[in-house]
């Protein structure tokens, strides 16, 4: 990458951080998400049997669908 391109990319990244990633609203939203995730982890850590489609032994309940859709397409598995 030549010097002009590197400087343009650095300016673009700096702009993104200043106006998108590190703005007050983005930080507040990130803190809210972390708070919700922590609360969910604490809730289900105390109540593992309350997780949908999980049996008492901690595995998937027989005959129940997987609790979430796989992110990887089945044809690539």
């Amino acid at each position: 990458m030549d010097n002009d391109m590197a400087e343009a990319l650095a300016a673009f990244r700096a702009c993104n951080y200043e106006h998108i990633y590190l703005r007050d609203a983005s930080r507040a939203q990130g803190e809210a998400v972390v708070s919700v995730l922590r609360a969910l982890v604490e809730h289900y850590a105390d109540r593992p049997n309350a997780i949908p489609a999980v049996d008492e032994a901690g595995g998937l309940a027989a005959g129940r669908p997987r609790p979430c859709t796989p992110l990887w397409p089945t044809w690539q598995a």
Side-chain angles (χ1 to χ4, degrees):
M1 175 181 311
D2 67 17
N3 213 20
D4 290 339
M5 286 286 261
E7 288 177 11
L9 183 57
F12 178 69
R13 286 180 175 160
C15 181
N16 280 348
Y17 274 91
E18 181 180 347
H19 297 286
I20 298 170
Y21 307 126
L22 299 179
R23 66 189 177 106
D24 290 340
S26 293
R27 287 181 180 210
Q29 186 177 32
E31 290 170 10
V33 168
V34 169
S35 177
V36 167
L37 291 174
R38 282 187 177 139
L40 285 169
V41 168
E42 288 177 17
H43 174 81
Y44 285 116
D46 291 339
R47 303 165 190 84
N49 294 334
I51 300 172
V54 174
D55 64 16
E56 290 182 19
L60 290 176
R64 304 261 322 256
R66 294 192 65 77
C68 63
T69 306
L71 297 176
W72 203 263
T74 55
W75 55 267
Q76 290 183 349

